[in-house]
Amino acid sequence: MAKIGVQAMMLKNEFAADGPFETLRKVSEIGYNAVEISQIPMTPENVAELGRARTDLGMDIAALSASLRPGPATAESLTTDFEKIVADAKTLDAGMVRIGMLPFDAMGSLSKVLEFCDQTNDMAARLAEHGIGLYYHNHHIEFQKFDGRYLLDIIAERAPLMGLELDVHWVQRGGLDPVRTLEKYGHRVSMVHLKDYRIGQIPADAFAKLAAGDYASFMADFTGVVQFAEVGEGSLDFAAIIATSVSIGARYLLVEQDEQYGRTPLDCLRTSHDNLVALGCSALF
């Protein structure tokens, strides 16, 4: 049965200020009992607190995050930290590791994407020897086309041992239908990011820019109204998204909101939780 949880990226400041256990205690009080770890330094202290959250709060550690090779992000690298990543996953009973995005230098190069796929497929085989699955998380960039094929299709085909973590907001932003995309990839999808897609209002000062003749700035505000939103506060059909995610066998449905527009992450998570409960999803928490 699928379980709704939280993607920890949006709580990274809370983790830094209050520590993993206290932050996850507040998350648990809202009603979530699973978390995917991302952009959280996996120090011995943090790993210990995550372990305490498992035992004391009943918090599942859905997945850990890693990059393929060292880079500017906080994720550990499968190339240089493989043994530690495996050890942390075993300690926290996390059966999945996810790669959050393509290396930046590969985003405009098909040859570099194919190299990334070959290397991640090898890593997936190595992780499988330890009972751990490797998964790839999409953004919108994966829906660019090379020779008429979406990049995500190329990745999925070239790295058959790597599963997928589909982010429904980024699928929508990439121009595809989230439900049909979930159905397309089916059993390859073990995790889904629940993140709504909202069209916000044009900022009031944009019209002052327009009146002053600053057309370029006005158009930047005009095109910038696409927002990340709390689940149920945007335009995505989450009843269909969740039903489809469950039907294809996804294990974790993880609420995430990249930007909160003046609200706190915990307030946003509460709104998403309450909307999901109202949608009839209580049994998935």
Side-chain angles (χ1 to χ4, degrees), residues 226-260:
V226 175
Q227 296 181 351
F228 305 100
E230 299 86 347
V231 174
E233 299 296 314
S235 58
L236 295 187
D237 183 356
F238 275 99
I241 286 169
I242 291 169
T244 303
S245 298
V246 171
S247 72
I248 65 173
R251 293 170 56 190
Y252 289 98
L253 315 180
L254 300 153
V255 175
E256 182 185 35
Q257 189 175 339
D258 298 41
E259 297 181 36
Q260 295 88 46

Side-chain angles (χ1 to χ4, degrees), residues 68-69 106 109-122 158:
L68 175 61
R69 56 179 184 263
S109 167
L110 181 57
S111 63
K112 289 185 178 180
V113 170
L114 296 178
E115 180 182 358
F116 166 83
C117 291
D118 293 342
Q119 292 172 349
T120 53
N121 201 60
D122 290 343
R158 186 78 172 209

Side-chain angles (χ1 to χ4, degrees), residues 2 9 20 93 116 119 134 155 170 203 212 230 251:
M9 178 275 290
D93 196 27
F116 166 83
Q119 292 172 349
L134 182 63
I155 293 170
W170 287 112
E230 299 86 347
R251 293 170 56 190

Side-chain angles (χ1 to χ4, degrees), residues 160-239:
L161 300 181
M162 182 167 62
L164 297 173
E165 176 181 61
L166 288 184
D167 185 309
V168 297
H169 172 100
W170 287 112
V171 170
Q172 178 76 16
R173 196 175 287 215
L176 276 71
D177 176 66
V179 170
R180 292 179 64 185
T181 304
L182 287 164
E183 291 172 341
K184 174 180 178 178
Y185 291 108
H187 71 279
R188 292 286 294 272
V189 182
S190 288
M191 294 177 285
V192 178
H193 277 189
L194 305 182
K195 178 193 305 175
D196 218 334
Y197 182 101
R198 177 171 58 212
I199 302 300
Q201 294 183 344
I202 297 176
D205 65 355
F207 298 97
K209 298 172 188 174
L210 181 64
D214 189 353
Y215 183 71
S217 293
F218 174 80
M219 287 306 298
D221 288 333
F222 172 81
T223 57
V225 295
V226 175
Q227 296 181 351
F228 305 100
E230 299 86 347
V231 174
E233 299 296 314
S235 58
L236 295 187
D237 183 356
F238 275 99

Side-chain angles (χ1 to χ4, degrees), residues 138-144 169-175:
N138 70 282
H139 289 82
H140 54 355
I141 197 74
E142 288 82 7
F143 300 105
Q144 63 180 300
H169 172 100
W170 287 112
V171 170
Q172 178 76 16
R173 196 175 287 215

